[in-house]
Amino acid sequence: MKESIMPRFSQLTPASAVGASRDLLGELVERHGTVGDMVATMAHSPAVLGGYLQLSKAMRRAKLDRKVSELVSIAVQTQQGCGMCLRSHIDAARSLGLSENEISRAQQSTSHDPSIAAMIQLGTRVYREPASITDAQVEELRGFGYSDREIADVVGVVALNVLTGAFNLVAGLTPGD
């Protein structure tokens, strides 16, 4: 992981944000009472904040099992280097009952379960080199019983992780900020 840096952008509130960001933050605060550091910082760009919120909402309708999704996220964030995202996904994995061994294996882009390892490997390839994904790899996933929808959902999981991880790294958000 990268060394700790200071946040590069301020966190906005409904009172300090302008335009569409003020509206989005106001709605979020009204619904949830507060927003996290990343969302408050994303408000500098209404396009990024709105896109994040829409993709995040859409991915809640994913067919991919939540445990597999978190393991893919852990593998991607380990490679991307966003400590804040990695911590969040590890916490989510623990809350879903995944073992420390399974979390550790995901950080190494694998799993003890060959079907989950194949999905994690798909996710890391989507992250690093999507053009390298082969017909045989997709057929292997189908052979493990994954539907085309679940396979496609991995692309959404990776896209959401790239957005949040890259944003946090550029903004200088680190665990504990």
Side-chain angles (χ1 to χ4, degrees):
M1 289 215 211
K2 305 262 188 241
E3 64 184 68
S4 181
I5 54 178
M6 297 296 296
R8 295 181 180 116
F9 304 146
S10 61
Q11 293 181 25
L12 299 179
T13 65
S16 62
V18 296
S21 289
R22 179 182 50 239
D23 297 340
L24 288 169
L25 281 177
E27 290 172 25
L28 290 169
V29 169
E30 189 174 303
R31 268 190 279 153
H32 304 288
T34 186
V35 297
D37 296 348
M38 182 186 73
V39 169
T41 306
M42 272 185 179
H44 284 281
S45 170
V48 171
L49 178 58
Y52 162 72
L53 293 172
Q54 288 176 6
L55 182 55
S56 183
K57 181 179 179 181
M59 291 310 300
R60 286 194 293 274
R61 296 187 300 273
K63 175 83 169 126
L64 185 63
D65 181 85
R66 176 91 192 281
K67 290 179 181 180
V68 175
S69 176
E70 290 301 338
L71 293 172
V72 168
S73 295
I74 289 167
V76 169
Q77 289 303 344
T78 298
Q79 291 187 18
Q80 188 170 16
C82 178
M84 191 164 140
C85 293
L86 182 59
R87 178 186 287 175
S88 174
H89 289 293
I90 288 173
D91 289 348
R94 286 177 180 142
S95 76
L96 293 170
L98 288 162
S99 71
E100 294 303 317
N101 185 284
E102 193 63 12
I103 291 167
S104 177
R105 285 178 182 257
Q107 288 178 285
Q108 298 168 29
S109 297
T110 192
S111 170
H112 72 281
D113 180 326
S115 70
I116 295 173
M119 275 303 229
I120 291 171
Q121 289 163 8
L122 174 67
T124 58
R125 286 183 96 167
V126 167
Y127 172 68
R128 284 190 328 252
E129 49 188 346
S132 73
I133 295 166
T134 65
D135 293 345
Q137 187 176 13
V138 172
E139 284 307 315
E140 177 188 31
L141 292 165
R142 289 179 179 139
F144 283 124
Y146 290 110
S147 68
D148 289 353
R149 179 177 173 181
E150 290 168 307
I151 296 167
D153 282 344
V154 171
V155 177
V157 168
V158 173
L160 189 56
N161 275 280
V162 168
L163 173 61
T164 58
F167 181 83
N168 287 337
L169 291 166
V170 169
L173 298 178
T174 59
D177 284 345

